[in-house]
Amino acid sequence: MKDITKKYTNGEVTIVWKPNVCVHSEVCFHGLPEVFNPQSKPWINAEGATTQRIIDQVKRCPSGALTYYLNADAQAEGGIAPEITAESIVEPLPNGPLLVYGNIVVKDAEGNETRKNKVTAFCRCGASSNKPYCDGTHAKIQFTDQPPATT
């Protein structure tokens, strides 16, 4: 798959979208439909909300397909968005993926390493076609954290 990166700005913040990373969790447009509307073209309207509301919503993206940078920070760094470092935090989403926040390295079965930052969503349901990453299949199969009822 082609590595596409699209950017949308309101002058203060630039939203960066990497469609091939997206797991279609729908967190973005359910949380801020004024900005993220898949029925519109372009689907991101950076003028649809305040900069802070955009930042808060982008931080909720479970796959890291959506990121952002403040334009003032990028200009101060000579046009390059500053690198963000953070501690790693692990959070299981109810009935969904395991989210890992921060900079991590994921090693596959062949020993290949992939560097991830921001938020990485790992499959917990076992049905993802993109293991170890979540692809949203948990919603289709109605994965639940609750153990099956016994009779």
Side-chain angles (χ1 to χ4, degrees):
M1 184 183 288
K2 202 168 160 184
D3 188 22
I4 298 169
T5 300
K6 296 190 177 195
K7 297 180 180 182
Y8 308 85
T9 188
N10 67 5
E12 290 182 328
V13 66
T14 296
I15 303 164
V16 181
W17 179 49
K18 293 187 169 246
N20 63 332
V21 177
C22 186
V23 297
H24 308 289
S25 66
E26 303 177 358
V27 169
C28 54
F29 68 86
H30 286 300
L32 195 58
E34 312 91 299
V35 174
F36 305 100
N37 182 350
Q39 304 303 316
S40 297
K41 296 242 186 243
W43 81 281
I44 296 177
N45 172 17
E47 301 288 336
T50 65
T51 294
Q52 190 57 55
R53 286 186 67 212
I54 290 170
I55 289 169
D56 292 345
Q57 190 61 41
V58 167
K59 286 180 177 180
R60 292 181 182 101
C61 178
S63 66
L66 290 171
T67 57
Y68 75 92
Y69 60 86
L70 294 173
N71 296 349
D73 291 345
Q75 289 171 350
E77 296 291 326
I80 300 171
E83 185 176 332
I84 299 170
T85 58
E87 64 183 59
S88 296
I89 300 170
V90 178
E91 173 188 16
L93 283 186
N95 305 322
L98 180 69
L99 301 183
V100 178
Y101 300 86
N103 299 320
I104 61 171
V105 176
V106 179
K107 188 182 283 189
D108 67 17
E110 288 81 40
N112 301 311
E113 293 183 353
T114 303
R115 296 192 181 284
K116 297 285 188 176
N117 58 31
K118 289 282 193 178
V119 183
T120 305
F122 290 101
C123 176
R124 283 199 310 140
C125 73
S128 173
S129 61
N130 190 29
K131 290 180 190 131
Y133 307 106
C134 173
D135 68 359
T137 301
H138 61 273
K140 293 176 191 166
I141 66 167
Q142 299 179 337
F143 172 75
T144 178
D145 292 329
Q146 302 301 318
T150 56
T151 54

